[in-house]
Amino acid sequence: GAGVSQSPSNKVTEKGKDVELRCDPISGHTALYWYRQSLGQGLEFLIYFQGNSAPDKSGLPSDRFSAERTGGSVSTLTIQRTQQEDSAVYLCASSPLRGGGDEQFFGPGTRLTVL
Amino acid sequence: AQSVAQPEDQVNVAEGNPLTVKCTYSVSGNPYLFWYVQYPNRGLQFLLKYITGDNLVKGSYGFEAEFNKSQTSFHLKKPSALVSDSALYFCAVRDVRNSGYALNFGKGTSLLVTP
């Protein structure tokens, strides 16, 4: 079956611009996560969605970052007024969340470069 | 806080030899531990997990990991390495934050298998 997809695969933007990154999770998966992978920080959790519950935003690095999940499926991560330190690979993952032991299925990521 | 540590940035092994990629954990309560692999320009792929039960866990591509509670370790192993196993390996532990099941990842270990 189809895995997690993300778009765009690469995004180059200028400092100060806003960007939107999209994630399509595996159909039927109720949990959706965003992570950021950068050279200096490794893999960091950003935000988590579970069904209709309020998202866990505890990993977002600043108020320039926000995310939505519409209809319990597609998610968009928005970064406003991008900075050079936002350059990283943004990974989306989903899981069925039958329990805490469920593995997460990752998309290929969006590589963001802020010039 | 739940965390894992991967003490080696890189592991080199000759094809056909056994390989070990080390991971130690620090958790409160029972740990949920995972191993993921990342090939160049790809997202993370799940290899195996330990939730409960047998300390030796078998996963994808011939990999296995041994959960050792006394040493707080979860080392990844394979009896005979392949050149195609060369990749970046991440150990992770489930974070018991708030309501979610986000993963806390180690820094990653680059495995290089030489012919």
Side-chain angles (χ1 to χ4, degrees), chain A residues 33 35 37 40-43 45 48 56 58 91 97 100-104 106-108 111, chain B residues 32 34 36 38 41-44 46 49 51 90 94 97-103 105 107:
Chain A
Y33 306 80
Y35 294 88
Q37 184 175 21
Q41 300 297 324
L43 270 160
F45 163 75
Y48 157 74
D56 176 355
S58 58
L91 294 168
L97 204 65
D102 281 345
E103 60 265 33
Q104 296 175 20
F106 283 80
R111 181 175 297 276
Chain B
Y32 286 14
F34 301 80
Y36 284 82
Q38 186 176 35
N41 300 314
R42 301 277 296 277
L44 276 70
F46 169 77
K49 65 183 177 184
I51 305 302
F90 290 95
R94 195 198 91 180
R97 68 178 68 229
N98 298 333
S99 59
Y101 298 109
L103 294 173
F105 287 89
K107 293 296 185 183

Side-chain angles (χ1 to χ4, degrees), chain A residues 2-6 23-26 29 31-37 43-47 89-95 102-110, chain B residues 34-38 42-47 90 92 101-105:
Chain A
V4 177
S5 61
Q6 293 185 245
C23 172
D24 281 276
I26 293 173
H29 281 191
L32 187 148
Y33 306 80
W34 283 97
Y35 294 88
R36 178 169 70 174
Q37 184 175 21
L43 270 160
E44 307 169 88
F45 163 75
L46 296 177
I47 188 169
V89 177
Y90 290 81
L91 294 168
C92 175
S94 69
S95 77
D102 281 345
E103 60 265 33
Q104 296 175 20
F105 296 82
F106 283 80
T110 293
Chain B
F34 301 80
W35 275 102
Y36 284 82
V37 61
Q38 186 176 35
R42 301 277 296 277
L44 276 70
Q45 296 180 30
F46 169 77
L47 281 178
F90 290 95
Y101 298 109
L103 294 173
N104 285 340
F105 287 89

Side-chain angles (χ1 to χ4, degrees), chain A residues 10 14 21 35 38 43 48 51 56-57 60 75 83 88-89 94 115:
Chain A
N10 282 283
E14 293 179 348
L21 313 180
Y35 294 88
S38 57
L43 270 160
Y48 157 74
D56 176 355
K57 305 178 182 180
L60 295 179
S75 177
Q83 304 295 312
V89 177
S94 69
L115 301 176

Side-chain angles (χ1 to χ4, degrees), chain A residues 4-22:
Chain A
V4 177
S5 61
Q6 293 185 245
S7 61
S9 55
N10 282 283
K11 176 71 176 180
V12 180
T13 190
E14 293 179 348
K15 177 182 174 181
K17 301 284 189 183
D18 298 351
V19 296
E20 285 189 353
L21 313 180
R22 177 188 169 103

Side-chain angles (χ1 to χ4, degrees), chain B residues 27-114:
Chain B
V27 303
S28 55
N30 295 321
Y32 286 14
L33 295 161
F34 301 80
W35 275 102
Y36 284 82
V37 61
Q38 186 176 35
Y39 297 99
N41 300 314
R42 301 277 296 277
L44 276 70
Q45 296 180 30
F46 169 77
L47 281 178
L48 50 79
K49 65 183 177 184
Y50 173 81
I51 305 302
T52 186
D54 290 342
N55 290 340
L56 185 62
V57 178
K58 294 188 181 297
S60 307
Y61 313 121
F63 284 93
E64 59 189 28
E66 185 171 10
F67 173 71
N68 188 317
K69 189 171 184 178
S70 63
Q71 297 184 6
T72 61
S73 67
F74 189 55
H75 301 331
L76 181 70
K77 300 181 179 183
K78 187 173 182 180
S80 179
L82 300 173
V83 172
S84 57
D85 292 330
S86 298
L88 191 56
Y89 290 80
F90 290 95
C91 182
V93 62
R94 195 198 91 180
D95 192 350
V96 292
R97 68 178 68 229
N98 298 333
S99 59
Y101 298 109
L103 294 173
N104 285 340
F105 287 89
K107 293 296 185 183
T109 298
S110 179
L111 173 66
L112 179 62
V113 181
T114 53

Side-chain angles (χ1 to χ4, degrees), chain A residues 61-66 78-83 85-86:
Chain A
S62 78
D63 58 9
R64 297 186 294 104
F65 288 72
S66 63
T78 301
I79 309 174
Q80 295 179 310
R81 305 180 303 281
T82 52
Q83 304 295 312
E85 61 263 29
D86 299 335

